[in-house]
Amino acid sequence: MGFPSPSSSFTSAFILIVVPLIFPLLTLTASQSSLCRTSCGDIPINYPFGVDDGCGSPYYRKILACSYGQLQLRTPSGTYPVRSISYSDPHVLLADPFMWNCLDGNDFRPTRPFSLDTSTHFSLSSLNDYLFFNCSPEHVVIAPKPIFCERFPDRCDSSCDSASYLCRNLPECRSALASGTSCCSYYPKATESLRLMLKYCASYTSVHWKNVGETRPYDQVPEYGIRVDFDIPVTTSCLRCQDVSKGGGRCGFDTKTQSFLCLCDQGNVTTYCKDPNVSWHSKKNGVVAGTLSAVSVAGAVGIGAGVWYYLRKVKAIAPVTHGVQSNENRLF
């Protein structure tokens, strides 16, 4: 087997040093804003959310994840599949595979309490109802609530309503429970109260009231799932960035400082895409995680020329070793 010639060694060294420097810089011509995915499966991803770091609002950073076309939301109690997102009536509808559903019947699987991080801009919707099954009457107050509780809930004791509409009309399966199985409706004010309820109940489920756009009282129908409301932070910077007349950028943030960035096709700016004061040839702003530092291609060519000159000089003065690379003349 022969040894590589000095010429081929020089070529290999040039490729190993220069190409890695130049190739990434060529990718800077790609759209910066295109790094932010606009959907996951069939669910649109709009501001304030983002599944790619640096996209959307930093208030919701790393809360949503997209895996194999399935959008998921992370909370302290686990990761939950997202069924839908509404931006006009801001809320996220979640599915909890640990909760009871109609297919379970009287098979009450072990469950866990759902919780949200109180430091985020998420909140449990008041349109959720929680049904608890086979609760211990020694530890849980189970009683039908008087009619006036609907108008004056603050005058009612915290009891689990055994005569609730949902217990008598379970969504999708009106009579899924066998006779003798108790059901009551209770809205936990905090995770701790939910945890205590589950300590003395066999299982639970969440039902939210979905608006179907009909006239009252038929405008809402019950559906299994957890509705989580969210805030949309509105800032002048973001509105200006999204303004089509100003370039129609996407709102994002610097992944190191979390300060606002407008993501444009040409790069990232702190103002808006068509700002006449911005020079796209010397981007000094931070970039979305996953993009590359804005070193100019001309600089890369200069580096490549310097390396080429250096290698030519080494080749000229290197001793002839007949293909044997010694420690004295090793380049790497």
Side-chain angles (χ1 to χ4, degrees):
M1 182 177 68
F3 293 101
S5 66
S7 175
S8 62
S9 297
F10 168 76
T11 303
S12 300
F14 184 83
I15 293 174
L16 286 172
I17 294 178
V18 177
V19 172
L21 289 172
I22 295 178
F23 178 75
L25 299 171
L26 297 179
T27 64
L28 286 173
T29 57
S31 167
Q32 298 279 312
S33 60
S34 66
L35 295 169
C36 299
R37 281 172 282 181
T38 57
S39 65
C40 179
D42 57 354
I43 301 178
I45 307 298
N46 300 329
Y47 183 83
F49 296 128
V51 293
D52 302 292
D53 199 13
C55 304
S57 168
Y59 290 126
Y60 299 101
R61 185 180 187 182
K62 296 183 179 180
I63 288 182
L64 288 178
C66 183
S67 178
Y68 300 102
Q70 172 65 63
L71 188 63
Q72 298 176 322
L73 184 139
R74 302 185 180 106
T75 80
S77 57
T79 301
Y80 301 89
V82 175
R83 293 172 57 181
S84 64
I85 298 179
S86 171
Y87 297 94
S88 56
D89 175 20
H91 71 270
V92 178
L93 183 60
L94 304 176
D96 185 351
F98 289 91
M99 286 184 177
W100 179 90
N101 62 60
C102 283
L103 298 178
D104 292 333
N106 274 56
D107 180 19
F108 299 113
R109 299 171 285 111
T111 188
R112 63 186 180 190
F114 176 84
S115 66
L116 287 173
D117 186 348
T118 55
S119 66
T120 63
H121 288 230
F122 283 121
S123 61
L124 281 174
S125 173
S126 58
L127 295 177
N128 291 326
D129 274 317
Y130 297 89
L131 302 181
F132 295 84
F133 306 102
N134 279 0
C135 297
S136 168
E138 289 79 21
H139 299 91
V140 178
V141 178
I142 304 173
K145 288 187 177 181
I147 297 297
F148 78 88
C149 287
E150 296 182 4
R151 295 186 59 189
F152 308 102
D154 55 322
R155 300 184 186 179
C156 295
D157 294 330
S158 295
S159 61
C160 200
D161 184 8
S162 58
S164 71
Y165 170 83
L166 290 175
C167 280
R168 292 179 284 109
N169 301 273
L170 291 169
E172 303 175 15
C173 50
R174 186 167 183 169
S175 57
L177 300 176
S179 59
T181 301
S182 67
C183 171
C184 60
S185 178
Y186 174 73
Y187 189 89
K189 301 300 181 183
T191 302
E192 186 60 31
S193 61
L194 176 55
R195 190 175 291 111
L196 286 173
M197 287 290 290
L198 288 179
K199 184 178 179 181
Y200 301 112
C201 300
S203 187
Y204 87 120
T205 192
S206 173
V207 177
H208 79 103
W209 290 89
K210 179 181 179 180
N211 195 318
V212 292
E214 300 291 337
T215 57
R216 291 185 177 184
Y218 307 104
D219 58 331
Q220 293 182 336
V221 296
E223 183 180 74
Y224 291 107
I226 307 172
R227 173 175 165 143
V228 176
D229 295 337
F230 64 89
D231 299 327
I232 300 180
V234 179
T235 65
T236 303
S237 298
C238 184
L239 292 176
R240 186 172 54 180
C241 170
Q242 293 177 324
D243 189 341
V244 176
S245 65
K246 295 183 181 297
R250 295 176 61 86
C251 299
F253 58 92
D254 188 300
T255 57
K256 293 182 179 179
T257 65
Q258 297 198 46
S259 57
F260 172 79
L261 282 180
C262 184
L263 313 182
C264 310
D265 290 343
Q266 305 95 321
N268 305 331
V269 291
T270 57
T271 53
Y272 52 94
C273 297
K274 289 186 177 180
D275 187 347
N277 297 318
V278 173
S279 173
W280 293 111
H281 297 291
S282 58
K283 296 187 287 294
K284 297 181 180 179
N285 302 308
V287 294
V288 176
T291 63
L292 300 157
S293 58
V295 180
S296 67
V297 175
V301 173
I303 294 172
V307 173
W308 176 81
Y309 175 78
Y310 171 75
L311 292 176
R312 285 294 299 263
K313 186 176 180 181
V314 169
K315 179 186 176 185
I317 64 175
V320 178
T321 57
H322 302 287
V324 178
Q325 192 79 313
S326 68
N327 289 330
E328 288 72 22
N329 64 4
R330 188 181 299 275
L331 293 178
F332 306 103

mmCIF file with all atom_site columns, all heavy atoms in Angstrom, residues 279-302:
data_model
loop_
_atom_site.group_PDB
_atom_site.id
_atom_site.type_symbol
_atom_site.label_atom_id
_atom_site.label_alt_id
_atom_site.label_comp_id
_atom_site.label_asym_id
_atom_site.label_entity_id
_atom_site.label_seq_id
_atom_site.pdbx_PDB_ins_code
_atom_site.Cartn_x
_atom_site.Cartn_y
_atom_site.Cartn_z
_atom_site.occupancy
_atom_site.B_iso_or_equiv
_atom_site.pdbx_formal_charge
_atom_site.auth_seq_id
_atom_site.auth_comp_id
_atom_site.auth_asym_id
_atom_site.auth_atom_id
_atom_site.pdbx_PDB_model_num
ATOM 1   N N   . SER A 1 279 ? -28.043 48.064 8.327  1.00 0.00 ? 279 SER A N   1
ATOM 2   C CA  . SER A 1 279 ? -27.164 47.573 7.266  1.00 0.00 ? 279 SER A CA  1
ATOM 3   C C   . SER A 1 279 ? -27.060 46.060 7.411  1.00 0.00 ? 279 SER A C   1
ATOM 4   O O   . SER A 1 279 ? -26.539 45.554 8.396  1.00 0.00 ? 279 SER A O   1
ATOM 5   C CB  . SER A 1 279 ? -25.774 48.206 7.380  1.00 0.00 ? 279 SER A CB  1
ATOM 6   O OG  . SER A 1 279 ? -24.887 47.599 6.449  1.00 0.00 ? 279 SER A OG  1
ATOM 7   N N   . TRP A 1 280 ? -27.570 45.345 6.427  1.00 0.00 ? 280 TRP A N   1
ATOM 8   C CA  . TRP A 1 280 ? -27.580 43.877 6.518  1.00 0.00 ? 280 TRP A CA  1
ATOM 9   C C   . TRP A 1 280 ? -26.195 43.285 6.306  1.00 0.00 ? 280 TRP A C   1
ATOM 10  O O   . TRP A 1 280 ? -26.009 42.092 6.455  1.00 0.00 ? 280 TRP A O   1
ATOM 11  C CB  . TRP A 1 280 ? -28.552 43.310 5.487  1.00 0.00 ? 280 TRP A CB  1
ATOM 12  C CG  . TRP A 1 280 ? -29.964 43.660 5.797  1.00 0.00 ? 280 TRP A CG  1
ATOM 13  C CD1 . TRP A 1 280 ? -30.775 44.509 5.107  1.00 0.00 ? 280 TRP A CD1 1
ATOM 14  C CD2 . TRP A 1 280 ? -30.742 43.207 6.899  1.00 0.00 ? 280 TRP A CD2 1
ATOM 15  N NE1 . TRP A 1 280 ? -32.000 44.608 5.704  1.00 0.00 ? 280 TRP A NE1 1
ATOM 16  C CE2 . TRP A 1 280 ? -32.023 43.816 6.802  1.00 0.00 ? 280 TRP A CE2 1
ATOM 17  C CE3 . TRP A 1 280 ? -30.497 42.337 7.962  1.00 0.00 ? 280 TRP A CE3 1
ATOM 18  C CZ2 . TRP A 1 280 ? -33.024 43.582 7.725  1.00 0.00 ? 280 TRP A CZ2 1
ATOM 19  C CZ3 . TRP A 1 280 ? -31.508 42.104 8.887  1.00 0.00 ? 280 TRP A CZ3 1
ATOM 20  C CH2 . TRP A 1 280 ? -32.756 42.725 8.767  1.00 0.00 ? 280 TRP A CH2 1
ATOM 21  N N   . HIS A 1 281 ? -25.217 44.116 5.956  1.00 0.00 ? 281 HIS A N   1
ATOM 22  C CA  . HIS A 1 281 ? -23.871 43.593 5.726  1.00 0.00 ? 281 HIS A CA  1
ATOM 23  C C   . HIS A 1 281 ? -23.060 43.499 7.004  1.00 0.00 ? 281 HIS A C   1
ATOM 24  O O   . HIS A 1 281 ? -21.984 42.949 7.020  1.00 0.00 ? 281 HIS A O   1
ATOM 25  C CB  . HIS A 1 281 ? -23.125 44.482 4.717  1.00 0.00 ? 281 HIS A CB  1
ATOM 26  C CG  . HIS A 1 281 ? -23.777 44.506 3.374  1.00 0.00 ? 281 HIS A CG  1
ATOM 27  N ND1 . HIS A 1 281 ? -23.801 43.405 2.551  1.00 0.00 ? 281 HIS A ND1 1
ATOM 28  C CD2 . HIS A 1 281 ? -24.469 45.488 2.733  1.00 0.00 ? 281 HIS A CD2 1
ATOM 29  C CE1 . HIS A 1 281 ? -24.474 43.714 1.436  1.00 0.00 ? 281 HIS A CE1 1
ATOM 30  N NE2 . HIS A 1 281 ? -24.885 44.962 1.535  1.00 0.00 ? 281 HIS A NE2 1
ATOM 31  N N   . SER A 1 282 ? -23.595 44.049 8.094  1.00 0.00 ? 282 SER A N   1
ATOM 32  C CA  . SER A 1 282 ? -22.867 43.961 9.363  1.00 0.00 ? 282 SER A CA  1
ATOM 33  C C   . SER A 1 282 ? -23.848 43.770 10.502 1.00 0.00 ? 282 SER A C   1
ATOM 34  O O   . SER A 1 282 ? -24.128 44.672 11.270 1.00 0.00 ? 282 SER A O   1
ATOM 35  C CB  . SER A 1 282 ? -22.064 45.235 9.614  1.00 0.00 ? 282 SER A CB  1
ATOM 36  O OG  . SER A 1 282 ? -22.919 46.369 9.626  1.00 0.00 ? 282 SER A OG  1
ATOM 37  N N   . LYS A 1 283 ? -24.420 42.593 10.557 1.00 0.00 ? 283 LYS A N   1
ATOM 38  C CA  . LYS A 1 283 ? -25.408 42.284 11.575 1.00 0.00 ? 283 LYS A CA  1
ATOM 39  C C   . LYS A 1 283 ? -24.702 42.111 12.911 1.00 0.00 ? 283 LYS A C   1
ATOM 40  O O   . LYS A 1 283 ? -23.880 41.226 13.084 1.00 0.00 ? 283 LYS A O   1
ATOM 41  C CB  . LYS A 1 283 ? -26.180 41.016 11.198 1.00 0.00 ? 283 LYS A CB  1
ATOM 42  C CG  . LYS A 1 283 ? -26.989 41.166 9.930  1.00 0.00 ? 283 LYS A CG  1
ATOM 43  C CD  . LYS A 1 283 ? -27.845 39.958 9.696  1.00 0.00 ? 283 LYS A CD  1
ATOM 44  C CE  . LYS A 1 283 ? -27.050 38.754 9.256  1.00 0.00 ? 283 LYS A CE  1
ATOM 45  N NZ  . LYS A 1 283 ? -26.459 38.932 7.958  1.00 0.00 ? 283 LYS A NZ  1
ATOM 46  N N   . LYS A 1 284 ? -25.067 42.945 13.890 1.00 0.00 ? 284 LYS A N   1
ATOM 47  C CA  . LYS A 1 284 ? -24.443 42.878 15.201 1.00 0.00 ? 284 LYS A CA  1
ATOM 48  C C   . LYS A 1 284 ? -25.396 42.337 16.255 1.00 0.00 ? 284 LYS A C   1
ATOM 49  O O   . LYS A 1 284 ? -25.051 42.226 17.415 1.00 0.00 ? 284 LYS A O   1
ATOM 50  C CB  . LYS A 1 284 ? -23.969 44.268 15.628 1.00 0.00 ? 284 LYS A CB  1
ATOM 51  C CG  . LYS A 1 284 ? -22.887 44.842 14.708 1.00 0.00 ? 284 LYS A CG  1
ATOM 52  C CD  . LYS A 1 284 ? -22.436 46.193 15.186 1.00 0.00 ? 284 LYS A CD  1
ATOM 53  C CE  . LYS A 1 284 ? -21.360 46.756 14.268 1.00 0.00 ? 284 LYS A CE  1
ATOM 54  N NZ  . LYS A 1 284 ? -20.909 48.099 14.714 1.00 0.00 ? 284 LYS A NZ  1
ATOM 55  N N   . ASN A 1 285 ? -26.614 42.015 15.857 1.00 0.00 ? 285 ASN A N   1
ATOM 56  C CA  . ASN A 1 285 ? -27.583 41.520 16.820 1.00 0.00 ? 285 ASN A CA  1
ATOM 57  C C   . ASN A 1 285 ? -27.394 40.037 17.066 1.00 0.00 ? 285 ASN A C   1
ATOM 58  O O   . ASN A 1 285 ? -26.821 39.319 16.251 1.00 0.00 ? 285 ASN A O   1
ATOM 59  C CB  . ASN A 1 285 ? -29.012 41.773 16.299 1.00 0.00 ? 285 ASN A CB  1
ATOM 60  C CG  . ASN A 1 285 ? -29.242 43.250 16.041 1.00 0.00 ? 285 ASN A CG  1
ATOM 61  O OD1 . ASN A 1 285 ? -28.997 44.066 16.914 1.00 0.00 ? 285 ASN A OD1 1
ATOM 62  N ND2 . ASN A 1 285 ? -29.696 43.583 14.844 1.00 0.00 ? 285 ASN A ND2 1
ATOM 63  N N   . GLY A 1 286 ? -27.939 39.581 18.194 1.00 0.00 ? 286 GLY A N   1
ATOM 64  C CA  . GLY A 1 286 ? -27.896 38.151 18.466 1.00 0.00 ? 286 GLY A CA  1
ATOM 65  C C   . GLY A 1 286 ? -28.759 37.417 17.465 1.00 0.00 ? 286 GLY A C   1
ATOM 66  O O   . GLY A 1 286 ? -29.614 37.997 16.816 1.00 0.00 ? 286 GLY A O   1
ATOM 67  N N   . VAL A 1 287 ? -28.581 36.144 17.339 1.00 0.00 ? 287 VAL A N   1
ATOM 68  C CA  . VAL A 1 287 ? -29.342 35.366 16.379 1.00 0.00 ? 287 VAL A CA  1
ATOM 69  C C   . VAL A 1 287 ? -30.085 34.274 17.105 1.00 0.00 ? 287 VAL A C   1
ATOM 70  O O   . VAL A 1 287 ? -29.778 33.913 18.221 1.00 0.00 ? 287 VAL A O   1
ATOM 71  C CB  . VAL A 1 287 ? -28.424 34.748 15.297 1.00 0.00 ? 287 VAL A CB  1
ATOM 72  C CG1 . VAL A 1 287 ? -27.810 35.827 14.451 1.00 0.00 ? 287 VAL A CG1 1
ATOM 73  C CG2 . VAL A 1 287 ? -27.342 33.889 15.936 1.00 0.00 ? 287 VAL A CG2 1
ATOM 74  N N   . VAL A 1 288 ? -31.094 33.760 16.437 1.00 0.00 ? 288 VAL A N   1
ATOM 75  C CA  . VAL A 1 288 ? -31.863 32.665 17.001 1.00 0.00 ? 288 VAL A CA  1
ATOM 76  C C   . VAL A 1 288 ? -30.962 31.458 17.184 1.00 0.00 ? 288 VAL A C   1
ATOM 77  O O   . VAL A 1 288 ? -30.112 31.175 16.356 1.00 0.00 ? 288 VAL A O   1
ATOM 78  C CB  . VAL A 1 288 ? -33.043 32.316 16.063 1.00 0.00 ? 288 VAL A CB  1
ATOM 79  C CG1 . VAL A 1 288 ? -33.800 31.119 16.576 1.00 0.00 ? 288 VAL A CG1 1
ATOM 80  C CG2 . VAL A 1 288 ? -33.962 33.512 15.924 1.00 0.00 ? 288 VAL A CG2 1
ATOM 81  N N   . ALA A 1 289 ? -31.168 30.751 18.296 1.00 0.00 ? 289 ALA A N   1
ATOM 82  C CA  . ALA A 1 289 ? -30.355 29.569 18.542 1.00 0.00 ? 289 ALA A CA  1
ATOM 83  C C   . ALA A 1 289 ? -30.468 28.622 17.364 1.00 0.00 ? 289 ALA A C   1
ATOM 84  O O   . ALA A 1 289 ? -31.561 28.358 16.866 1.00 0.00 ? 289 ALA A O   1
ATOM 85  C CB  . ALA A 1 289 ? -30.814 28.874 19.815 1.00 0.00 ? 289 ALA A CB  1
ATOM 86  N N   . GLY A 1 290 ? -29.354 28.100 16.917 1.00 0.00 ? 290 GLY A N   1
ATOM 87  C CA  . GLY A 1 290 ? -29.362 27.226 15.755 1.00 0.00 ? 290 GLY A CA  1
ATOM 88  C C   . GLY A 1 290 ? -28.862 27.923 14.515 1.00 0.00 ? 290 GLY A C   1
ATOM 89  O O   . GLY A 1 290 ? -28.480 27.285 13.555 1.00 0.00 ? 290 GLY A O   1
ATOM 90  N N   . THR A 1 291 ? -28.853 29.296 14.528 1.00 0.00 ? 291 THR A N   1
ATOM 91  C CA  . THR A 1 291 ? -28.267 30.009 13.400 1.00 0.00 ? 291 THR A CA  1
ATOM 92  C C   . THR A 1 291 ? -26.793 30.217 13.685 1.00 0.00 ? 291 THR A C   1
ATOM 93  O O   . THR A 1 291 ? -26.290 29.882 14.736 1.00 0.00 ? 291 THR A O   1
ATOM 94  C CB  . THR A 1 291 ? -28.945 31.379 13.200 1.00 0.00 ? 291 THR A CB  1
ATOM 95  O OG1 . THR A 1 291 ? -28.703 32.181 14.365 1.00 0.00 ? 291 THR A OG1 1
ATOM 96  C CG2 . THR A 1 291 ? -30.431 31.228 12.998 1.00 0.00 ? 291 THR A CG2 1
ATOM 97  N N   . LEU A 1 292 ? -26.119 30.818 12.741 1.00 0.00 ? 292 LEU A N   1
ATOM 98  C CA  . LEU A 1 292 ? -24.669 30.946 12.845 1.00 0.00 ? 292 LEU A CA  1
ATOM 99  C C   . LEU A 1 292 ? -24.274 32.387 13.082 1.00 0.00 ? 292 LEU A C   1
ATOM 100 O O   . LEU A 1 292 ? -24.987 33.314 12.725 1.00 0.00 ? 292 LEU A O   1
ATOM 101 C CB  . LEU A 1 292 ? -24.025 30.445 11.548 1.00 0.00 ? 292 LEU A CB  1
ATOM 102 C CG  . LEU A 1 292 ? -24.333 28.987 11.255 1.00 0.00 ? 292 LEU A CG  1
ATOM 103 C CD1 . LEU A 1 292 ? -24.190 28.720 9.785  1.00 0.00 ? 292 LEU A CD1 1
ATOM 104 C CD2 . LEU A 1 292 ? -23.419 28.091 12.055 1.00 0.00 ? 292 LEU A CD2 1
ATOM 105 N N   . SER A 1 293 ? -23.101 32.587 13.679 1.00 0.00 ? 293 SER A N   1
ATOM 106 C CA  . SER A 1 293 ? -22.632 33.945 13.917 1.00 0.00 ? 293 SER A CA  1
ATOM 107 C C   . SER A 1 293 ? -22.396 34.630 12.587 1.00 0.00 ? 293 SER A C   1
ATOM 108 O O   . SER A 1 293 ? -21.965 34.027 11.611 1.00 0.00 ? 293 SER A O   1
ATOM 109 C CB  . SER A 1 293 ? -21.346 33.926 14.733 1.00 0.00 ? 293 SER A CB  1
ATOM 110 O OG  . SER A 1 293 ? -20.344 33.182 14.073 1.00 0.00 ? 293 SER A OG  1
ATOM 111 N N   . ALA A 1 294 ? -22.664 35.928 12.555 1.00 0.00 ? 294 ALA A N   1
ATOM 112 C CA  . ALA A 1 294 ? -22.643 36.656 11.286 1.00 0.00 ? 294 ALA A CA  1
ATOM 113 C C   . ALA A 1 294 ? -21.240 37.106 10.924 1.00 0.00 ? 294 ALA A C   1
ATOM 114 O O   . ALA A 1 294 ? -20.903 38.276 10.933 1.00 0.00 ? 294 ALA A O   1
ATOM 115 C CB  . ALA A 1 294 ? -23.580 37.857 11.367 1.00 0.00 ? 294 ALA A CB  1
ATOM 116 N N   . VAL A 1 295 ? -20.392 36.167 10.561 1.00 0.00 ? 295 VAL A N   1
ATOM 117 C CA  . VAL A 1 295 ? -19.061 36.478 10.039 1.00 0.00 ? 295 VAL A CA  1
ATOM 118 C C   . VAL A 1 295 ? -19.214 36.610 8.532  1.00 0.00 ? 295 VAL A C   1
ATOM 119 O O   . VAL A 1 295 ? -19.902 35.845 7.891  1.00 0.00 ? 295 VAL A O   1
ATOM 120 C CB  . VAL A 1 295 ? -18.071 35.345 10.373 1.00 0.00 ? 295 VAL A CB  1
ATOM 121 C CG1 . VAL A 1 295 ? -16.695 35.666 9.828  1.00 0.00 ? 295 VAL A CG1 1
ATOM 122 C CG2 . VAL A 1 295 ? -18.011 35.128 11.876 1.00 0.00 ? 295 VAL A CG2 1
ATOM 123 N N   . SER A 1 296 ? -18.582 37.589 7.939  1.00 0.00 ? 296 SER A N   1
ATOM 124 C CA  . SER A 1 296 ? -18.753 37.824 6.512  1.00 0.00 ? 296 SER A CA  1
ATOM 125 C C   . SER A 1 296 ? -18.055 36.745 5.694  1.00 0.00 ? 296 SER A C   1
ATOM 126 O O   . SER A 1 296 ? -17.065 36.160 6.108  1.00 0.00 ? 296 SER A O   1
ATOM 127 C CB  . SER A 1 296 ? -18.192 39.203 6.141  1.00 0.00 ? 296 SER A CB  1
ATOM 128 O OG  . SER A 1 296 ? -16.790 39.205 6.297  1.00 0.00 ? 296 SER A OG  1
ATOM 129 N N   . VAL A 1 297 ? -18.617 36.509 4.518  1.00 0.00 ? 297 VAL A N   1
ATOM 130 C CA  . VAL A 1 297 ? -17.996 35.556 3.603  1.00 0.00 ? 297 VAL A CA  1
ATOM 131 C C   . VAL A 1 297 ? -16.634 36.061 3.171  1.00 0.00 ? 297 VAL A C   1
ATOM 132 O O   . VAL A 1 297 ? -15.694 35.297 2.975  1.00 0.00 ? 297 VAL A O   1
ATOM 133 C CB  . VAL A 1 297 ? -18.910 35.335 2.381  1.00 0.00 ? 297 VAL A CB  1
ATOM 134 C CG1 . VAL A 1 297 ? -18.227 34.438 1.367  1.00 0.00 ? 297 VAL A CG1 1
ATOM 135 C CG2 . VAL A 1 297 ? -20.237 34.738 2.812  1.00 0.00 ? 297 VAL A CG2 1
ATOM 136 N N   . ALA A 1 298 ? -16.505 37.393 3.031  1.00 0.00 ? 298 ALA A N   1
ATOM 137 C CA  . ALA A 1 298 ? -15.206 37.951 2.648  1.00 0.00 ? 298 ALA A CA  1
ATOM 138 C C   . ALA A 1 298 ? -14.161 37.609 3.695  1.00 0.00 ? 298 ALA A C   1
ATOM 139 O O   . ALA A 1 298 ? -13.009 37.299 3.381  1.00 0.00 ? 298 ALA A O   1
ATOM 140 C CB  . ALA A 1 298 ? -15.313 39.464 2.496  1.00 0.00 ? 298 ALA A CB  1
ATOM 141 N N   . GLY A 1 299 ? -14.569 37.646 4.971  1.00 0.00 ? 299 GLY A N   1
ATOM 142 C CA  . GLY A 1 299 ? -13.638 37.273 6.034  1.00 0.00 ? 299 GLY A CA  1
ATOM 143 C C   . GLY A 1 299 ? -13.232 35.828 5.920  1.00 0.00 ? 299 GLY A C   1
ATOM 144 O O   . GLY A 1 299 ? -12.071 35.465 6.150  1.00 0.00 ? 299 GLY A O   1
ATOM 145 N N   . ALA A 1 300 ? -14.198 34.970 5.554  1.00 0.00 ? 300 ALA A N   1
ATOM 146 C CA  . ALA A 1 300 ? -13.882 33.549 5.409  1.00 0.00 ? 300 ALA A CA  1
ATOM 147 C C   . ALA A 1 300 ? -12.900 33.331 4.267  1.00 0.00 ? 300 ALA A C   1
ATOM 148 O O   . ALA A 1 300 ? -11.979 32.511 4.358  1.00 0.00 ? 300 ALA A O   1
ATOM 149 C CB  . ALA A 1 300 ? -15.164 32.758 5.153  1.00 0.00 ? 300 ALA A CB  1
ATOM 150 N N   . VAL A 1 301 ? -13.108 34.086 3.183  1.00 0.00 ? 301 VAL A N   1
ATOM 151 C CA  . VAL A 1 301 ? -12.185 33.955 2.053  1.00 0.00 ? 301 VAL A CA  1
ATOM 152 C C   . VAL A 1 301 ? -10.794 34.400 2.467  1.00 0.00 ? 301 VAL A C   1
ATOM 153 O O   . VAL A 1 301 ? -9.774  33.807 2.100  1.00 0.00 ? 301 VAL A O   1
ATOM 154 C CB  . VAL A 1 301 ? -12.695 34.780 0.856  1.00 0.00 ? 301 VAL A CB  1
ATOM 155 C CG1 . VAL A 1 301 ? -11.662 34.779 -0.258 1.00 0.00 ? 301 VAL A CG1 1
ATOM 156 C CG2 . VAL A 1 301 ? -14.023 34.222 0.363  1.00 0.00 ? 301 VAL A CG2 1
ATOM 157 N N   . GLY A 1 302 ? -10.735 35.494 3.260  1.00 0.00 ? 302 GLY A N   1
ATOM 158 C CA  . GLY A 1 302 ? -9.440  35.960 3.739  1.00 0.00 ? 302 GLY A CA  1
ATOM 159 C C   . GLY A 1 302 ? -8.759  34.923 4.594  1.00 0.00 ? 302 GLY A C   1
ATOM 160 O O   . GLY A 1 302 ? -7.547  34.687 4.486  1.00 0.00 ? 302 GLY A O   1
#
